[in-house]
Amino acid sequence: MTTILLADDHRVVREGLRTLLAQEADLTVVGEAADGREVVALARTLRPDVVIMDIAMPELNGIEATRLIVAESPSIRIVALSMYADRRFVTQILRAGALGYVLKEAAFEELARAIRTVATGKPYLSPTVAGFVIEEFVRQVSTTASKSLEILTSRETEVLKLLAEGKRAKEIALELKIGVKTAEAHRQNLMNKLEMHSIAELTRFAIREGLTTA
Amino acid sequence: MTTILLADDHRVVREGLRTLLAQEADLTVVGEAADGREVVALARTLRPDVVIMDIAMPELNGIEATRLIVAESPSIRIVALSMYADRRFVTQILRAGALGYVLKEAAFEELARAIRTVATGKPYLSPTVAGFVIEEFVRQVSTTASKSLEILTSRETEVLKLLAEGKRAKEIALELKIGVKTAEAHRQNLMNKLEMHSIAELTRFAIREGLTTA
DNA sequence: ATGTCAATAAGTGTTTTTACTTATTATGGA
DNA sequence: TCCATAATAAGTAAAAACACTTATTGACAT
């Protein structure tokens, strides 16, 4: 059973959501808040699994409220409920610690799915929002020109990945069960082949090539 | 009507796809290729709207073939058809210019949707792959919550940027007209504040924060 | 005025990176 | 079979990174 705290400054919205959520056997609304301060206080006492958070709220907005709740109880998952698919809102509230972002124009079914997804610790974004995250990813990735991961051997690729993750030659040697000198040799060969002269450059190359993430 | 060129080195796969695509009123297969060279040549003469491209092919792999086709005819959209949800493949073929990425384990319905989506110039990624892009976006955006640029001074930020670009302490000192020891001190302070212990980690952080690009 | 903080910098010592050379073994292709 | 390449590894050496401490200066806020 997933417990839910509703936060929205419009009473009708809260009542509507409460009614809809009552239809779902595995979801229970345990409280309601009409502003940012209230939701922070209630989250502390009620300790719900999930908070449905309106972004625009008096006293304290949803972003600040999210930040406070997550700082205090990281196990409480937040689903942002917003009217706008604006990238800035998405970025800000996700950075504040929300795991979900659902548009108010979405069907209730989607909100329910979002609640169940974030309850397990996984992120959920409304398709519109997810769509532009993907578009951005594709655009970003397709505009970066590059030549070759192909000129590297599989072992070199492996070493490059670990280097980019911040590992030292010693750690890499341990992880790959090879000598420290061998790991160093691989790094040296990487640098020669790629014509790079620092770990920072190798790291950026590895990220560009998708070997690891920033 | 959307015209399609099929590229896959397995004849059964091509025949299967051709049959399935024949069911769709708005899609027509205008040609088939069994290897990379062939698909590049056929794309040139047939000028299809969309190419369905297997990644693993003889002669010339799907990534190289994609690169060549897109370089020659940017209006031809490519949907990669792959067995693997591996980040490396996704990144590489998208960078080569593909707009879609569909897993072979997907239902045919999904491939059809991908074709129609990319035909309009919009990207399409299989849910597994997309989910993973989204998770990365969320993780990336939410991990910047704890330690962010705000805790750094302006000078430290400046030094961080240069370090991430691959500069050494000596070069940074020169560029900022400060002593080498000062540049080193800034780096040390950065590491302490961010709780990081290598240039690779600092570099990734700088990229996440948008101080520099990968 | 007093205290915290940012920016500057020197000193000391350890570890790692960077840059070479050389060499052995295994594998796969011409 | 011979040759090229990948993977392994050692040796040498200079440069840089990493990790501390300490100290001076100026700015800004309580």
Side-chain angles (χ1 to χ4, degrees):
Chain A
M1 179 63 80
T2 304
T3 56
I4 298 167
L5 172 58
L6 287 178
D8 195 299
D9 55 336
H10 297 103
R11 195 172 164 185
V12 242
V13 176
R14 292 200 307 276
E15 285 176 0
L17 287 175
R18 186 185 265 278
T19 309
L20 286 164
L21 288 166
Q23 315 285 308
E24 307 292 318
D26 59 329
L27 308 176
T28 326
V29 175
V30 295
E32 288 182 19
D35 65 58
R37 286 201 203 296
E38 205 180 342
V39 68
V40 174
L42 283 179
R44 181 155 38 219
T45 57
L46 299 175
R47 307 201 58 77
D49 297 314
V50 175
V51 178
I52 295 175
M53 182 81 74
D54 186 24
I55 291 191
M57 280 192 299
E59 296 296 320
L60 202 66
N61 67 44
I63 294 166
E64 280 308 314
T66 296
R67 207 189 309 282
L68 292 172
I69 291 172
V70 171
E72 207 174 293
S73 330
S75 66
I76 298 181
R77 320 293 191 181
I78 316 279
V79 175
L81 192 59
S82 168
M83 285 204 291
Y84 312 102
D86 188 307
R87 187 196 201 293
R88 270 171 298 174
F89 288 144
V90 178
T91 308
Q92 277 186 66
I93 201 157
L94 288 181
R95 180 167 295 159
L99 257 186
Y101 194 98
V102 176
L103 296 176
K104 283 195 175 173
E105 69 189 37
F108 171 72
E109 249 327 298
E110 200 189 309
L111 179 61
R113 193 175 334 128
I115 294 168
R116 294 188 181 104
T117 307
V118 304
T120 69
K122 283 183 168 292
Y124 181 94
L125 304 184
S126 265
T128 312
V129 177
F132 77 54
V133 168
I134 289 165
E135 275 182 48
E136 197 169 296
F137 172 80
V138 171
R139 180 157 33 84
Q140 188 219 44
V141 114
S142 64
T143 50
T144 49
S146 111
K147 265 123 226 146
S148 46
L149 225 177
E150 284 127 59
I151 62 171
L152 304 183
T153 68
S154 60
R155 204 53 155 171
E156 283 164 355
T157 308
E158 223 171 335
V159 170
L160 172 59
K161 180 171 180 291
L162 297 171
L163 280 169
E165 283 167 4
K167 305 255 170 64
R168 316 188 164 289
K170 199 195 289 181
E171 303 173 273
I172 292 169
L174 230 135
E175 193 159 327
L176 299 182
K177 297 196 175 71
I178 57 179
V180 177
K181 273 296 186 180
T182 308
E184 275 182 48
H186 284 310
R187 195 215 47 224
Q188 197 64 240
N189 289 332
L190 279 166
M191 286 180 165
N192 288 336
K193 281 188 179 178
L194 299 171
E195 295 176 71
M196 292 175 182
H197 310 278
S198 68
I199 294 286
E201 287 170 278
L202 288 182
T203 302
R204 291 167 49 186
F205 175 79
I207 292 166
R208 281 202 303 274
E209 293 297 324
L211 271 185
T212 187
T213 62
Chain B
M1 178 62 80
T2 304
T3 55
I4 297 167
L5 171 58
L6 288 178
D8 195 300
D9 56 336
H10 298 104
R11 194 169 165 189
V12 247
V13 176
R14 292 199 307 274
E15 285 176 359
L17 287 175
R18 186 185 265 277
T19 311
L20 287 164
L21 288 165
Q23 317 284 308
E24 308 290 320
D26 59 329
L27 308 177
T28 327
V29 175
V30 295
E32 289 183 17
D35 65 58
R37 284 199 206 297
E38 206 180 341
V39 69
V40 174
L42 284 179
R44 181 156 36 218
T45 57
L46 300 175
R47 307 202 57 78
D49 296 315
V50 175
V51 178
I52 295 176
M53 182 81 74
D54 186 23
I55 292 192
M57 278 192 299
E59 298 296 321
L60 202 64
N61 67 44
I63 294 166
E64 281 309 315
T66 297
R67 205 189 311 282
L68 291 173
I69 292 172
V70 171
E72 206 174 292
S73 330
S75 66
I76 299 182
R77 321 292 192 181
I78 315 279
V79 176
L81 191 59
S82 167
M83 286 204 292
Y84 312 102
D86 188 310
R87 188 194 148 83
R88 261 182 276 179
F89 289 144
V90 179
T91 308
Q92 280 186 67
I93 201 155
L94 289 180
R95 176 169 306 139
L99 257 187
Y101 195 99
V102 176
L103 295 176
K104 286 197 174 172
E105 69 189 38
F108 171 72
E109 249 326 298
E110 200 189 310
L111 180 61
R113 194 176 331 129
I115 293 169
R116 294 189 181 103
T117 307
V118 303
T120 70
K122 283 187 167 291
Y124 182 93
L125 305 184
S126 264
T128 312
V129 177
F132 157 104
V133 168
I134 289 165
E135 273 183 48
E136 199 170 296
F137 173 80
V138 171
R139 178 159 40 84
Q140 189 225 57
V141 121
S142 64
T143 49
T144 52
S146 49
K147 299 275 187 292
S148 88
L149 276 182
E150 285 148 51
I151 64 172
L152 303 182
T153 67
S154 61
R155 204 53 157 172
E156 283 164 353
T157 308
E158 223 170 336
V159 171
L160 172 58
K161 178 171 179 292
L162 296 171
L163 280 171
E165 282 167 5
K167 304 257 170 63
R168 312 189 167 289
K170 200 195 288 181
E171 302 173 273
I172 292 170
L174 233 140
E175 192 159 329
L176 298 181
K177 298 194 174 75
I178 58 178
V180 178
K181 272 297 186 181
T182 308
E184 274 185 53
H186 285 308
R187 179 189 43 76
Q188 197 64 41
N189 288 333
L190 279 165
M191 287 181 166
N192 288 336
K193 281 189 180 179
L194 300 171
E195 295 175 70
M196 292 174 182
H197 310 278
S198 68
I199 296 286
E201 288 169 279
L202 288 182
T203 301
R204 292 167 48 186
F205 175 80
I207 291 166
R208 283 202 300 274
E209 293 297 326
L211 273 183
T212 187
T213 59

